[in-house]
Amino acid sequence: MKIKIDREMCIGNGACIAHAPKTFKLDDEAKAIITGESDKDELVLRAAENCPTRAIILSKGKKQIYP
């Protein structure tokens, strides 16, 4: 699964970290970044679904999965 974060949309809510703590963390600007480690796909999907600004974009191959 490919993960992209729209940093302009990210408000640093931290919901992504609560659901997928291996995959996401906040940087010095309190914006979400991808750590390089990976949680299970269903946890990453749950993190994206719980992002209040829909800043996490998920895709597999050429197909966008979320949002």
Side-chain angles (χ1 to χ4, degrees), residues 11-19 26 52:
I11 60 171
N13 172 274
C16 56
I17 298 165
H19 293 283
L26 297 181

Side-chain angles (χ1 to χ4, degrees), residues 15-36:
C16 56
I17 298 165
H19 293 283
K22 290 182 188 175
T23 305
F24 302 100
K25 71 177 185 175
L26 297 181
D27 66 7
D28 294 338
E29 296 176 26
K31 301 276 185 166
I33 59 171
I34 301 163
T35 64

Side-chain angles (χ1 to χ4, degrees), residues 24-55:
F24 302 100
K25 71 177 185 175
L26 297 181
D27 66 7
D28 294 338
E29 296 176 26
K31 301 276 185 166
I33 59 171
I34 301 163
T35 64
E37 294 185 48
S38 175
D39 290 286
K40 293 181 179 179
D41 284 355
E42 58 265 17
L43 295 177
V44 175
L45 177 59
R46 190 175 307 145
E49 290 171 340
N50 283 280
C51 176
T53 61
R54 294 188 168 189

